[in-house]
């Protein structure tokens, strides 16, 4: 339950973790190659159309919730960019006109097991990406029954704008089952994900700790 934040893995609340599958890690490269050839390349034209760019890359991770993980708080993984516009009413243009800034990132969830009330799932607030002013008002979605529950079968895909508010629901699996979800973050190449992971690697921490131990041992001697 301790909070952790490394380059490779970060906490997402109690009993929730996000493991980044980095290209430079030999143990992850084969997995990335398979996902890229069987999933990424097949949907990339659609993604490029949505992001309105052919300069798109992706991050790959596994988000998993352990049994006993409680309901998560409402949040958006990606911020609205500085100076970006929200959707709004425009009197001079006959009402609602979509002035929403284009998406810069698109997230795809692919559950590795069936998601139901027992294992839990991700709950979304559809269209919440249209206004940054909705941040902090997640409970309103529940009160107004505006939520969409991401219950689905293993291998299904759920796509959403990276600015969309959502939350992971509790894992109350009686069989102590992990809830692993493959996450593919498609993004314009100028965007770098720095919010959801740390800046220090696990091996760097181990190296620093070992160095401190050696210095302590030398001093004690």
């Amino acid at each position: 339950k301790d909070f952790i934040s490394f380059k490779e893995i970060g906490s997402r609340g109690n009993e929730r973790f996000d493991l980044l599958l980095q290209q430079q890690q030999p143990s992850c490269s084969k997995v990335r190659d398979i996902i890229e050839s069987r999933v990424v390349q097949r949907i990339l034209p659609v993604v490029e159309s949505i992001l309105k760019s052919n300069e798109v890359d992706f991050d790959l991770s596994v988000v998993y919730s352990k049994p006993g993980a409680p309901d998560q708080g409402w949040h958006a993984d990606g911020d609205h960019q500085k100076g970006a516009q929200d959707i709004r009413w425009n009197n001079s243009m006959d009402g609602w006109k979509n002035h929403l800034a284009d998406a810069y990132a698109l997230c795809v969830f692919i559950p590795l097991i069936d998601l139901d009330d027992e294992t839990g799932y991700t709950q979304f607030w559809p269209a919440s990406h249209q206004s940054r002013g909705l941040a902090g008002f997640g409970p309103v979605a529940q009160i107004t029954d505006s939520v969409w529950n991401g219950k689905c079968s293993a291998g299904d895909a759920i796509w959403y704008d990276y600015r969309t508010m959502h939350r992971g629901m509790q894992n109350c699996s009686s069989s102590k089952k992990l809830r692993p979800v493959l996450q593919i973050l498609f993004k314009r190449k100028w965007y770098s994900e720095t919010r959801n992971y740390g800046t220090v690697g696990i091996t760097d921490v181990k190296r620093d700790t070992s160095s401190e131990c050696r210095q302590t041992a030398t001093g004690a001697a």
Side-chain angles (χ1 to χ4, degrees), residues 74-76 80 85-88 96 98 100-101 123-135 141 146-148 159-166:
W74 285 97
H75 65 284
H80 288 256
Q85 293 182 327
D86 293 343
I87 194 170
R88 66 179 186 274
W96 285 108
N98 194 342
L100 180 68
Q123 188 174 70
F124 296 88
W125 187 358
S128 58
H129 68 290
Q130 295 182 348
S131 175
R132 72 189 69 210
L134 294 178
S146 301
V147 300
W148 182 80
W159 306 42
Y160 63 96
D161 187 299
Y162 207 44
R163 299 165 291 183
T164 303
M165 294 185 64
H166 60 283

Side-chain angles (χ1 to χ4, degrees), residues 34-36 38-40 43 60-64 107-115 122 124 150 152-160 179-186:
I34 292 172
I35 297 301
E36 183 167 10
R38 298 188 180 183
V39 180
V40 173
I43 63 177
L60 182 65
S61 64
V62 175
V63 180
Y64 63 97
C107 197
V108 180
F109 277 175
I110 303 177
L112 303 182
I113 63 170
D114 295 343
L115 302 185
T122 301
F124 296 88
C152 56
S153 301
D156 287 346
I158 299 175
W159 306 42
Y160 63 96
R179 185 174 83 227
V181 176
L182 185 69
Q183 176 179 270
I184 308 175
L185 173 61
F186 291 99

